[in-house]
């Protein structure tokens, strides 16, 4: 019998984990507590306990070419940025294409995952699941945790003095579905993540007034970037990554600062971030809504009163009817023992953001617990490709002295606020290359330049699409080269619906290169 692997959750991570197990000849069983696949991307009108919650207007922040699984491009007629229903449709097609449904047990909750008494020698786990009120015990050789981190809302009310006397309504963004709850009300949005800004923009169309308060500010990017191309296809290229990571810190920060302020000067809109932290918010409307007075940005809350709020450094009270806390989520694994995964300050101690550092055997992996500046789907897929090969004992890289030392000392290799952490949080390309090198799937740019210069130049100057990691090595896909060379065709197909007779056919990657050199010149002469 093959190696038995338990996969917890059938969302984005769980589906690709199941598929990667099958590719490696492992025997996956995926446990999904709800009755369908999709996880975060499956909209339900009512908030369900233990499940992520989505509001109907959610659209992906990353473009379809950058968000695709590496051997399964999106259909060319799908829009460039995907409404949640179409992203779910893509996940259904993926599950069907690779025969994943038969390996998923729906309506089954994982109650506990515990090390077996002989774990040190076997690495095995006792897994207890519950379905229709009946519990079942299983033994698995390995476990992949794909339950996400958008189920347990973080609502630190103790950080908001006076909230107990506030007479208005307040709730966490997880409860939000439709903007009609804000009709004619004075609304306060606490927090400036993607959800906070989305909800503020939606609320401002029906509310009397919307205020967003933030302690640290945020960079705001539009999905529509240079020359109207998707932001991530311009931003996440090998050339741009090389420059960002080769320049000295202050210069790299200056480049980012200059770049994001090209759309609008953040300081003038009350948005300039406090620290050198670059995990931007994606929103196409916010600056124009601030400009037209629909949304006001304020500092963090000092205290709540009966019907109003006082902000730091602002003496006057602001009347408020309703507060929505967009304060994020806690990282939690209720089915695991605390000793197996240590979670502190919303961060788990994981080697390369995947393996708990203090287990004697690398047979437990957590997928998707990283915030890349880019699409999460290809990142979780790459994690799954690496993990399944570690489970199989091939090119594990967890036999490295660094990992072994971490196991011996219980060292947390990925603590918050380290320079390395900052890099990984801002550059998924660096992280993807690292994991790809572990399994022998990292493309050799120099080798490609000699063998296939057209492909090499497209890959270096153009967007770093996930297909690059299927050109060679394990899991090689015959269609990878063609997918890379036609990535812009699939991007432009849904928008070029009317082509004038004198149409230009300038290559987007060439425009990006020209734009980059113009930017570099501006930086050199502008500083």
């Amino acid at each position: 019998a093959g190696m038995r692997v338990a996969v917890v959750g059938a969302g984005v991570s769980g589906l690709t984990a199941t598929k990667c197990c099958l590719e490696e000849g492992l025997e996956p069983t995926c446990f999904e507590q709800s009755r369908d696949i999709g996880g975060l991307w499956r909209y339900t009108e009512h908030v369900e306990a233990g499940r992520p919650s989505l509001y109907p207007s959610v659209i992906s922040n990353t473009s379809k070419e950058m968000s695709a699984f590496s051997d399964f491009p999106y259909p060319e007629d799908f829009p460039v940025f995907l409404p949640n229903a179409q992203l779910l449709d893509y996940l259904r097609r993926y599950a069907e294409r690779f025969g994943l449904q038969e390996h998923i047990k729906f309506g089954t909750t994982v109650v506990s995952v515990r090390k077996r008494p002989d774990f040190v020698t076997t690495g095995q786990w006792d897994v207890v699941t519950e379905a229709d009120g009946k519990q079942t015990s299983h033994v698995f050789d390995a476990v992949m945790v794909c339950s996400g981190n958008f189920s347990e809302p973080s609502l630190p009310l103790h950080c908001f003095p006076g909230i107990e006397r506030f007479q208005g309504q307040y709730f966490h963004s997880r409860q939000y579905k439709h903007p009609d709850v804000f009709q004619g009300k004075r609304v306060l949005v606490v927090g400036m993540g993607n959800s906070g800004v989305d909800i503020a923009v939606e609320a401002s169309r029906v509310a009397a007034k919307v205020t967003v308060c933030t302690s640290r500010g945020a960079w705001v990017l539009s999905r529509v970037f240079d020359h109207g191309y998707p932001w991530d296809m311009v931003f996440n290229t090998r050339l741009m990554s090389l420059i960002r990571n080769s320049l000295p810190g202050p210069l790299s920060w200056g480049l980012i600062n200059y770049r994001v302020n090209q759309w609008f000067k953040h300081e003038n809109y009350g948005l300039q971030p406090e620290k050198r932290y670059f995990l931007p918010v994606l929103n196409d409307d916010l600056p124009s809504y601030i400009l037209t007075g629909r949304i006001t940005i304020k500092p963090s809350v000092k205290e709540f009163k009966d019907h109003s709020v006082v902000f730091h450094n602002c003496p006057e009270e602001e009347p408020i009817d309703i507060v929505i806390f967009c304060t994020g989520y806690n990282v939690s694994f209720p089915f695991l023992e605390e000793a197996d995964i240590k979670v502190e300050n919303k961060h788990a101690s994981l080697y390369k953001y995947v393996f708990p550092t203090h287990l004697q055997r690398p047979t437990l992996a957590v997928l998707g617990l990283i915030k890349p500046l880019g699409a999460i789907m290809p990142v979780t897929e790459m994690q799954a490709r690496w993990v399944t090969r570690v489970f199989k004992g091939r090119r594990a890289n967890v036999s490295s002295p660094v990992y072994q030392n971490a196991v011996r000392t219980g060292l947390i290799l990925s603590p918050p606020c380290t320079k390395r952490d900052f890099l990984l949080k801002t550059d998924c390309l660096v992280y993807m290359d690292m994991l790809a090198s572990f399994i022998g799937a990292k493309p050799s740019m120099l080798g490609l330049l000699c063998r296939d210069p057209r492909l090499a130049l497209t890959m270096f100057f153009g967007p770093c699409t996930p297909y690059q990691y299927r050109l060679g090595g394990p899991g090689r896909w015959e269609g990878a080269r063609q997918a890379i060379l036609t990535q812009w065709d699939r991007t432009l197909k849904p928008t070029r619906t009317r082509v004038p007779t004198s149409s230009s056919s300038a290559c987007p990657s060439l425009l990006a290169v020209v734009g980059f050199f113009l930017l570099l010149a501006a930086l050199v002469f502008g500083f």
Side-chain angles (χ1 to χ4, degrees), residues 110 136 150 264 465:
V110 174
T136 314
F150 294 104
F264 68 96
T465 45

Side-chain angles (χ1 to χ4, degrees), residues 193-447:
N194 286 305
S195 296
V197 175
D198 273 359
I199 293 167
V201 164
E202 277 194 12
S204 72
R205 294 175 187 141
V206 296
K209 184 174 187 195
V210 174
T211 305
V212 177
C213 70
T214 171
S215 57
R216 67 181 184 203
W219 296 120
V220 181
L221 293 182
S222 170
R223 292 180 179 87
V224 186
F225 220 59
D226 297 350
H227 308 283
Y229 295 117
W231 76 272
D232 51 354
M233 293 183 80
V234 177
F235 197 88
N236 283 335
T237 70
R238 289 191 173 276
L239 174 66
M240 290 304 287
S241 176
L242 181 70
I243 286 158
R244 280 195 300 270
N245 295 305
S246 301
L247 289 174
L251 204 54
S252 179
W253 180 248
L255 174 69
I256 290 169
N257 196 35
Y258 174 85
R259 200 71 183 80
V260 294
N261 279 311
Q262 275 187 306
W263 183 26
F264 68 96
K265 192 169 182 182
H266 284 61
E267 202 176 330
N268 294 347
Y269 288 68
L271 292 169
Q272 182 82 10
E274 291 288 334
K275 295 186 177 126
R276 293 187 174 187
Y277 177 81
F278 189 63
L279 196 61
V281 169
L282 264 292
N283 194 278
D284 309 315
D285 302 310
L286 183 64
S288 65
Y289 278 44
I290 294 172
L291 211 53
T292 52
R294 292 185 182 190
I295 295 175
T296 307
I297 308 293
K298 290 280 189 177
S300 56
V301 171
K302 187 178 180 185
E303 67 171 321
F304 283 98
K305 306 241 170 138
D306 290 6
H307 300 282
S308 62
V309 65
V310 180
F311 299 106
H312 283 287
N313 307 320
C314 297
E316 68 276 6
E317 291 180 25
E318 178 102 23
I320 292 291
D321 302 309
I322 189 164
V323 181
I324 179 157
F325 287 97
C326 301
T327 42
Y329 292 82
N330 294 319
V331 176
S332 77
F333 307 102
F335 47 85
L336 285 169
E337 285 185 301
E338 259 183 58
D340 291 334
I341 296 187
K342 295 187 174 76
V343 177
E344 289 172 25
N345 301 325
K346 297 190 186 179
H347 290 263
S349 54
L350 301 168
Y351 177 69
K352 307 298 183 195
Y353 295 86
V354 175
F355 288 103
T357 51
H358 49 280
L359 291 177
Q360 298 96 326
R361 309 276 295 187
T363 55
L364 175 69
V366 181
L367 270 61
L369 207 64
I370 182 173
K371 292 179 181 173
L373 176 54
I376 189 72
M377 289 160 77
V379 174
T380 57
E381 182 194 31
M382 184 60 76
Q383 289 178 331
R385 288 174 70 187
W386 175 44
V387 165
T388 49
R389 291 180 71 77
V390 169
F391 288 169
K392 198 91 182 266
R394 298 182 186 167
R395 305 194 54 177
N397 206 65
V398 284
S399 58
S400 74
V402 179
Y403 180 80
Q404 294 305 329
N405 186 49
V407 171
R408 280 196 303 274
T409 60
L411 173 70
I412 296 176
L413 290 182
S414 307
C417 304
T418 64
K419 190 171 180 193
R420 184 70 182 156
D421 189 60
F422 170 83
L423 179 68
L424 290 184
K425 275 193 175 166
T426 57
D427 215 322
C428 54
L429 204 156
V430 173
Y431 182 65
M432 293 271 282
D433 270 358
M434 177 178 66
L435 296 192
S437 69
F438 293 166
I439 64 168
K442 181 184 171 185
S444 162
M445 297 306 297
L446 212 55

Side-chain angles (χ1 to χ4, degrees), residues 60-257:
S60 68
N61 283 333
T62 50
S63 63
K64 65 176 182 179
E65 289 303 302
M66 303 298 276
S67 308
F69 290 122
S70 58
D71 54 359
F72 194 69
Y74 279 84
E76 61 174 15
D77 58 335
F78 271 40
V80 179
F81 291 95
L82 296 132
N84 58 77
Q86 279 182 291
L87 209 148
L88 179 61
D89 180 24
Y90 171 76
L91 294 178
R92 292 197 196 289
R93 293 176 188 221
Y94 182 74
E96 190 181 331
R97 166 71 180 79
F98 296 107
L100 308 181
Q101 292 269 18
E102 64 196 78
H103 300 279
I104 304 170
K105 291 190 185 298
F106 292 107
T108 308
T109 303
V110 174
V111 177
S112 77
V113 175
R114 299 286 182 268
K115 292 194 288 282
R116 282 180 67 75
D118 57 357
F119 179 82
V120 178
T121 53
T122 64
Q124 288 183 327
W125 298 85
D126 281 318
V127 177
V128 177
T129 59
E130 187 174 308
D132 302 320
K134 180 169 158 263
Q135 291 201 349
T136 314
S137 296
H138 321 254
V139 176
F140 282 98
D141 298 304
V143 178
M144 297 173 87
V145 178
C146 305
S147 50
N149 60 327
F150 294 104
S151 297
E152 189 186 294
S154 170
L155 189 53
L157 293 178
H158 62 277
C159 298
F160 299 95
I163 189 68
E164 67 286 343
R165 57 188 272 210
F166 178 63
Q167 300 294 302
Q169 186 187 355
Y170 66 84
F171 56 93
H172 189 273
S173 58
R174 173 177 157 76
Q175 305 296 319
Y176 173 75
K177 292 291 178 182
H178 303 282
D180 48 12
V181 67
F182 303 124
Q183 187 75 46
K185 300 282 176 68
R186 294 164 299 189
V187 180
L188 173 65
V189 178
V190 179
M192 258 213 76
N194 286 305
S195 296
V197 175
D198 273 359
I199 293 167
V201 164
E202 277 194 12
S204 72
R205 294 175 187 141
V206 296
K209 184 174 187 195
V210 174
T211 305
V212 177
C213 70
T214 171
S215 57
R216 67 181 184 203
W219 296 120
V220 181
L221 293 182
S222 170
R223 292 180 179 87
V224 186
F225 220 59
D226 297 350
H227 308 283
Y229 295 117
W231 76 272
D232 51 354
M233 293 183 80
V234 177
F235 197 88
N236 283 335
T237 70
R238 289 191 173 276
L239 174 66
M240 290 304 287
S241 176
L242 181 70
I243 286 158
R244 280 195 300 270
N245 295 305
S246 301
L247 289 174
L251 204 54
S252 179
W253 180 248
L255 174 69
I256 290 169
N257 196 35

Side-chain angles (χ1 to χ4, degrees), residues 442-456 459:
K442 181 184 171 185
S444 162
M445 297 306 297
L446 212 55
L448 272 173
L449 194 58
C450 302
R451 290 193 315 274
D452 194 339
R454 181 188 170 204
L455 181 64
M459 285 169 59

